[in-house]
Amino acid sequence: MYLLTLLHSFLTTLKGFIILLLLFIGIGIGFGTTSLQQLNQGSRQFVDTTMLSLLTHWDNSEFFTYASDRLQQRLTGIQLQQMKGVFNQLGHLLNYQGAIGGIFHSPTTWWQVGARYKIQANFEGGKLIALITLIKQEGHWAIGQFDYRCNFYPIEKKVGSLMLI
């Protein structure tokens, strides 16, 4: 009862209304920041886990399990064979340096978020740099776009990376 009286007194005065408005804005910003941090951690963990698994032993069918429906439809058999050929030529993974990037709002709709990360990995036969865009699909992260560039040459292991094989 006392709470309703207090709330009524805040809503009937301009000063009380402004205090309540600022309080709700603060709560909203705090909740939004926490949610974005959790999304960022989840997406980064997805990229690191997925890419480490894929780069250790590339398998097109495994890549498809992590790819979004749209990416699966766009990829042709020739493109998949080219990717497999590139990873066969790179050889064994020496180290993976982790994902750099984060979440962003979709340019078309503000309430949808995606994530974009750059990864680097060294292999026996060269270096890979990839840009990976994630999207939320049925409540889970999926690879929406996978762009990569390779330099082929022998390379030595770098101490201090996330994984040495």
Side-chain angles (χ1 to χ4, degrees), residues 74-94:
R74 286 191 345 232
L75 283 174
T76 65
I78 294 170
Q79 289 172 318
L80 286 171
Q81 289 306 317
Q82 288 174 342
M83 285 171 56
K84 183 156 182 69
V86 165
F87 287 101
N88 284 341
Q89 189 175 353
L90 283 170
H92 293 293
L93 178 66
L94 298 178

Side-chain angles (χ1 to χ4, degrees), residues 5-153:
T5 307
L6 183 63
L7 184 61
H8 180 14
S9 67
F10 270 115
L11 291 175
T12 56
T13 65
L14 180 61
K15 185 178 180 180
F17 178 75
I18 291 174
I19 291 172
L20 279 178
L21 181 64
L22 291 175
L23 180 66
F24 284 125
I25 289 172
I27 290 170
I29 289 172
F31 178 73
T33 302
T34 303
S35 294
L36 290 176
Q37 287 173 346
Q38 289 173 345
L39 277 174
N40 193 32
Q41 286 176 333
S43 63
R44 185 180 312 271
Q45 183 178 17
F46 173 82
V47 167
D48 282 336
T49 304
T50 303
M51 293 290 53
L52 196 53
S53 174
L54 286 169
L55 297 177
T56 300
H57 56 280
W58 186 266
D59 181 8
N60 286 344
S61 61
E62 184 181 359
F63 177 73
F64 257 61
T65 63
Y66 299 117
S68 68
D69 295 338
R70 185 171 178 222
L71 180 59
Q72 290 178 22
Q73 292 170 358
R74 286 191 345 232
L75 283 174
T76 65
I78 294 170
Q79 289 172 318
L80 286 171
Q81 289 306 317
Q82 288 174 342
M83 285 171 56
K84 183 156 182 69
V86 165
F87 287 101
N88 284 341
Q89 189 175 353
L90 283 170
H92 293 293
L93 178 66
L94 298 178
N95 60 38
Y96 171 72
Q97 298 170 9
I100 299 170
I103 59 172
F104 64 93
H105 285 284
S106 169
T108 55
T109 52
W110 188 84
W111 59 87
Q112 289 181 337
V113 294
R116 185 169 292 133
Y117 292 96
K118 177 182 175 183
I119 64 161
Q120 294 184 34
N122 295 313
F123 294 81
E124 288 177 333
K127 181 177 184 173
L128 170 83
I129 298 173
L131 185 62
I132 302 156
T133 303
L134 303 179
I135 60 170
K136 278 282 195 173
Q137 180 176 286
E138 298 175 8
H140 301 286
W141 289 111
I143 299 171
Q145 189 171 339
F146 182 75
D147 299 310
Y148 63 93
R149 186 181 77 219
C150 298
N151 294 325
F152 296 102
Y153 53 88

